[in-house]
């Protein structure tokens, strides 16, 4: 009997206990959407289980196929360097396919809007509300470009204006984007939407920068859209791995 690949969700990790709890809640929600799929969670740093620990355990249990999904919104340093490096340490008996990072995706835009509505806004408020899309930040130009494009996609859904902001590594900061939106014509309300998955030091910095905003939304967390996106990325990687095995067998 052929078993589907195990889904291994790889999160960054944090000293903040809220981070791991939120990641686990998201992974549980994704698993509940796909009964029968084995889903595991591992962390690159700070939290247990470690990626190498989970991979060693899976190999010892006789698992052969794994889809490793970086729980990241952009394809920056962690996705390009850290995750591949740790996967190279896996037991040779495992066939591992690294899935694409989560962003960009319309599901992420939908998750941001969900959090804004949960914070008290309504669809009718969009035409007079400016939104700061506040991410953790990166020095990677590709990641910065993806955040900018996501802000444009959010703007196309009808918000009066959307500006990206960053908690570290890049500018502008959240508080500066809030003030810039205040000065824009037609903006009567300013909301900050954290474009981060789980709480931690940088999301707290985003919240502090939102002090002058009218609305602060929650992190994306275990939203249904994010759970569906995990499975979509898993399916894409599992299909690609299956096609490669069929091609290799035919050669």
């Amino acid at each position: 009997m052929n078993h589907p690949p195990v889904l291994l969700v790889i999160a960054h990790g944090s000293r903040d206990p809220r981070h791991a709890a939120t990641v686990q809640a998201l992974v549980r929600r994704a698993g509940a959407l796909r009964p029968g799929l084995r889903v595991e969670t591992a962390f690159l740093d700070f939290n247990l289980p470690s990626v190498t620990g989970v991979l060693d355990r899976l190999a010892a249990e006789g698992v052969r196929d794994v889809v490793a999904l970086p729980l990241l919104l952009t394809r920056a340093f962690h996705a390009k360097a850290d995750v591949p490096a740790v996967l190279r340490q896996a037991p040779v008996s495992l066939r591992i396919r690294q899935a694409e990072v989560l962003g960009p995706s319309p599901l992420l835009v939908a998750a941001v809007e969900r959090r804004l509505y949960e914070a008290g806004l309504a669809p009718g408020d969009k035409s007079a509300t400016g939104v700061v899309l506040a991410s953790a930040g990166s020095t990677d130009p590709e990641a910065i470009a993806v955040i900018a494009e996501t802000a444009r996609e959010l703007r196309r859904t009808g918000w009066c204006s959307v500006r990206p902001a960053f908690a570290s590594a890049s500018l502008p900061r959240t508080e500066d984007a809030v003030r810039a939106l205040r000065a824009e014509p037609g903006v009567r309300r300013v909301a900050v939407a954290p474009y981060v998955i789980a709480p931690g030091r940088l999301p707290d910095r985003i919240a502090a920068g939102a002090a002058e905003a009218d609305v602060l939304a929650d992190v994306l967390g275990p939203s249904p859209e994010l759970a569906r996106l995990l499975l979509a990325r898993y399916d894409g990687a599992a299909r690609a791995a299956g096609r490669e095995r069929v091609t290799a067998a035919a050669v």
Side-chain angles (χ1 to χ4, degrees):
M1 177 180 178
N2 290 328
H3 295 280
V6 171
L7 169 57
L8 174 60
V9 178
I10 302 177
H12 181 273
S14 171
R15 293 185 178 90
D16 189 322
R18 297 174 298 168
H19 175 91
T22 301
V23 169
Q24 296 287 7
L26 171 60
V27 173
R28 284 195 300 272
R29 186 160 203 165
L33 293 175
R34 187 72 60 85
L37 173 64
R38 181 172 178 179
V39 185
E40 299 278 350
T41 309
F43 298 89
L44 289 171
D45 205 356
F46 302 116
N47 302 105
L48 293 174
S50 67
V51 179
T52 53
V54 173
L55 291 173
D56 287 346
R57 173 166 54 82
L58 291 174
E61 294 175 9
V63 170
R64 293 294 306 278
D65 296 301
V66 176
V67 168
L69 171 59
L71 195 63
L72 302 167
L73 297 176
T74 60
R75 191 173 173 272
F77 183 79
H78 293 307
K80 294 176 180 178
D82 288 345
V83 172
V86 75
L87 293 180
R88 284 194 292 270
Q89 302 173 36
V92 295
S93 62
L94 291 176
R95 292 187 296 240
I96 302 176
R97 178 83 179 193
Q98 182 175 330
E100 294 294 330
V101 297
L102 300 180
S105 170
L107 285 170
L108 288 172
V109 174
V112 168
E113 288 205 290
R114 172 186 291 275
R115 294 304 188 223
L116 288 167
Y117 296 149
E118 289 172 348
L121 294 172
D125 299 323
K126 295 171 80 167
S127 63
T129 301
V131 177
V132 176
L133 186 71
S135 74
S138 175
T139 58
D140 189 297
E142 180 183 349
I144 298 300
V146 167
I147 297 297
E149 178 56 29
T150 301
R152 288 190 288 270
E153 289 297 323
L154 185 61
R155 168 69 182 83
R156 292 184 188 111
T157 69
W159 299 96
C160 183
S161 181
V162 179
R163 287 177 176 255
F166 307 93
S168 68
S170 310
L171 295 175
R173 295 288 182 259
T174 302
E175 53 269 34
D176 296 325
V178 168
R179 294 179 189 125
L181 280 174
R182 289 272 187 222
E184 286 195 23
V187 174
R188 296 197 294 271
R189 182 187 296 102
V190 175
V192 173
Y195 193 62
V196 292
I197 293 172
R201 178 176 59 88
L202 293 179
D204 284 349
R205 190 178 295 175
I206 290 171
E212 296 180 18
D214 302 295
V215 174
L216 172 62
D218 200 358
V219 299
L220 300 177
S223 65
E225 294 84 2
L226 211 55
R228 288 165 50 203
L229 184 53
L230 261 63
L231 295 177
R233 293 291 185 254
Y234 166 83
D235 289 339
R239 284 194 298 267
R243 288 194 297 268
E244 288 178 1
R245 286 196 292 273
V246 169
T247 301
V251 173

